[in-house]
Amino acid sequence: MMEKHTIKETGKRDYHRESTLSKAEVMLIMILFHDSGYRCLKHFYLEAVCKHMRHLFPRVVSYNRFVELERDVAIPLALFIKKVLLGKCTGISFIDSTPLRVCKNQRIHIHTVFKGIAQRGKCSMGWFFGFKLHLICNGKGELLNFMITPGDVDDRKPLEYKAFVEFIYGKLVADKGYRQEPL
């Protein structure tokens, strides 16, 4: 592999090395992790991928480098899931949301990665800083749709977007956070 060296305006060198894992391989590893039953990505990657699936991924990278590569496939992976892996509505669907914390509450003021995007929100477990993942599942437990919003978005807000619920028919069951109070 060739390394690219560029000198930034600050006078420091910027080292960039091409990945040996393709984006498709990184996406496949992420899908396999979520289907594996492992709860920890690091254990899955080091045990299952690096040891037992080495014949499928001969050019594996270190775990730290793999975590860096995940960022590059986040949007393509979300699009792949939306286009290929979603189930079909069965007439009864369930909707709920869960927080995606990006840092501990004590570190909000020094957090820089999602500055201006992530927001402080509240869920049943208390205050958090990050995003909300809104999910719709059918009666078989298959994922029908999902949406990620800043943490301060009301749980009912995604229901206003036609693209999020346009293919849902029959009953849509939600927890009390989605119930609209009578006027």
Side-chain angles (χ1 to χ4, degrees):
M1 280 278 131
M2 297 209 35
E3 291 187 26
K4 296 178 187 175
H5 301 288
T6 57
I7 297 181
K8 292 183 178 180
E9 294 175 9
T10 59
K12 294 182 181 179
R13 281 200 172 173
D14 178 29
Y15 293 92
H16 177 71
R17 191 175 192 181
E18 295 296 322
S19 172
T20 56
L21 279 178
S22 69
K23 289 184 180 186
E25 289 174 317
V26 175
M27 289 172 53
L28 178 58
I29 291 170
M30 292 304 302
I31 292 168
L32 290 172
F33 164 67
H34 289 289
D35 192 47
S36 70
Y38 275 81
R39 295 185 64 147
C40 175
L41 175 63
K42 185 173 187 175
H43 291 134
F44 172 76
Y45 186 76
L46 295 176
E47 292 296 317
V49 175
C50 292
K51 288 183 182 175
H52 303 296
M53 296 183 200
R54 193 67 181 237
H55 63 286
L56 298 173
F57 305 102
R59 299 176 301 158
V60 293
V61 294
S62 70
Y63 174 73
N64 289 340
R65 180 67 177 134
F66 180 77
V67 171
E68 291 175 3
L69 295 174
E70 281 183 297
R71 286 185 289 208
D72 296 337
V73 301
I75 292 174
L77 182 59
L79 292 172
F80 176 74
I81 291 169
K82 286 250 186 192
K83 292 293 180 188
V84 178
L85 298 181
L86 296 181
K88 303 281 186 221
C89 187
T90 59
I92 184 162
S93 304
F94 303 91
I95 185 168
D96 204 357
S97 67
T98 187
L100 300 174
R101 292 172 174 83
V102 296
C103 70
K104 294 182 177 182
N105 287 336
Q106 299 90 330
R107 296 187 178 144
I108 293 172
H109 65 284
I110 61 170
H111 184 80
T112 58
V113 176
F114 292 106
K115 191 174 190 169
I117 303 170
Q119 295 295 324
R120 183 181 278 261
K122 190 171 185 184
C123 66
S124 60
M125 299 298 289
W127 290 95
F128 70 96
F129 182 72
F131 303 95
K132 279 187 185 175
L133 173 63
H134 305 268
L135 298 168
I136 302 177
C137 296
N138 64 17
K140 296 189 250 179
E142 297 172 334
L143 186 63
L144 299 179
N145 207 352
F146 64 92
M147 178 183 283
I148 297 175
T149 62
D152 62 349
V153 171
D154 189 285
D155 285 349
R156 298 168 288 191
K157 190 71 173 168
L159 296 174
E160 296 175 9
Y161 299 108
K162 283 190 177 187
F164 187 56
V165 293
E166 69 183 348
F167 56 90
I168 303 297
Y169 60 88
K171 298 274 184 185
L172 180 62
V173 181
D175 72 350
K176 64 181 179 181
Y178 281 89
R179 253 189 253 143
Q180 197 165 6
E181 297 295 325
L183 296 174

